[in-house]
């Protein structure tokens, strides 16, 4: 691997590490607030656990490549701003906006891992691919779950809203 593509791979891994920390900060407040959608809450809860495992895998890969861990914190802070718009706390339809934003975020993660795997394949870091593939598979499964559930969540939201409005009258 040339120096520059090695650096690109390391930078990509650090970006993925920051992305996963951002994923936690997006999902955790949602889980804390969800009341009427227990299946969404349960899936988010399990993806939070998965995400913690993903972070551990990325750290193990970075360590195996002798990357400097000190820069990870700065990257996390800089990425936080770029996804600030993802939180929709306090919007009356926050469950819908969050469902859409979560689907977008999972697809961002899928693209990130596909990119990392391409770099690993091209640049002689094939030993890291099984770990990256495991992260990718979890993102694909989460994106698929969100994809399968958006209609049901929307219709439940609509019926809860209707029931709430009926109750008021
Ligand atoms: Mg993830
Ligand atoms: Fe994810």
């Amino acid at each position: 691997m040339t120096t520059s593509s090695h650096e690109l791979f390391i930078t990509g891994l650090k970006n993925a590490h920051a992305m996963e920390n951002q994923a936690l900060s997006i999902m955790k407040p949602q889980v804390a607030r969800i009341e009427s959608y227990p299946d969404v809450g349960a899936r988010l809860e399990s993806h939070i656990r998965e995400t913690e495992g993903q972070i551990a895998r990325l750290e193990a890969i970075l360590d195996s490549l002798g990357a400097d861990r000190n820069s990870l914190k700065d990257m996390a802070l800089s990425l936080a701003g770029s996804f600030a718009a993802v939180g929709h706390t306090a919007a009356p339809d926050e469950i819908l906006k969050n469902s859409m934003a979560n689907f977008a975020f999972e697809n961002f993660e899928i693209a990130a891992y596909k990119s990392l795997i391409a770099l690993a394949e091209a640049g002689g870091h094939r030993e890291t691919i099984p770990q990256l593939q495991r992260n990718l598979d979890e993102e694909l499964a989460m994106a698929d779950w969100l994809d399968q559930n958006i209609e049901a969540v929307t219709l439940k939201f609509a019926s809860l809203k209707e029931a709430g409005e009926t109750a008021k009258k």
Side-chain angles (χ1 to χ4, degrees), residues 16 19-21 23-24 27 47 50-52 54-55 58 105-106 109-110 113 135 138-139:
M19 171 185 79
E20 296 301 354
N21 277 306
L24 289 179
M27 290 187 286
H47 198 52
E50 287 175 338
T51 301
E52 287 163 350
Q54 293 171 357
I55 289 169
L58 290 168
F105 196 91
E106 294 306 326
E109 295 186 282
I110 287 166
Y113 285 114
N135 286 14
E138 289 172 352
E139 311 305 10

Side-chain angles (χ1 to χ4, degrees), residues 17-163:
H17 188 274
M19 171 185 79
E20 296 301 354
N21 277 306
Q22 188 65 20
L24 289 179
S25 71
I26 289 166
M27 290 187 286
K28 283 181 174 174
Q30 289 184 44
V31 167
R33 288 173 56 83
I34 274 186
E35 287 167 11
S36 308
Y37 306 85
D39 48 337
V40 177
R43 189 63 182 90
L44 284 169
E45 192 74 63
S46 85
H47 198 52
I48 286 169
R49 299 285 90 81
E50 287 175 338
T51 301
E52 287 163 350
Q54 293 171 357
I55 289 169
R57 276 176 220 126
L58 290 168
E59 288 176 351
I61 294 171
L62 283 162
D63 284 348
S64 77
L65 299 172
D68 174 19
R69 282 268 209 101
N70 288 331
S71 56
L72 288 177
K73 232 178 193 167
D74 300 338
M75 303 269 302
L77 289 174
S78 69
L79 198 73
S82 60
F83 284 108
V86 172
H88 296 100
T89 302
D93 59 345
E94 69 177 279
I95 184 70
L96 299 187
K97 290 194 169 87
N98 283 335
S99 295
M100 295 168 197
N102 290 343
F103 185 65
F105 196 91
E106 294 306 326
N107 279 281
F108 184 96
E109 295 186 282
I110 287 166
Y113 285 114
K114 286 184 174 176
S115 172
L116 277 173
I117 289 168
L119 285 173
E121 233 156 37
H125 286 301
R126 295 188 143 267
E127 77 286 356
T128 66
I129 292 176
Q131 301 281 77
L132 294 171
Q133 185 66 48
R134 213 174 139 190
N135 286 14
L136 173 58
D137 289 345
E138 289 172 352
E139 311 305 10
L140 287 165
M142 185 61 179
D144 188 53
W145 191 91
L146 292 164
D147 188 32
Q148 299 294 319
N149 281 271
I150 187 64
E151 287 96 345
V153 168
T154 302
L155 296 177
K156 179 162 188 188
F157 173 75
S159 75
L160 287 173
K161 193 169 156 58
E162 198 169 326

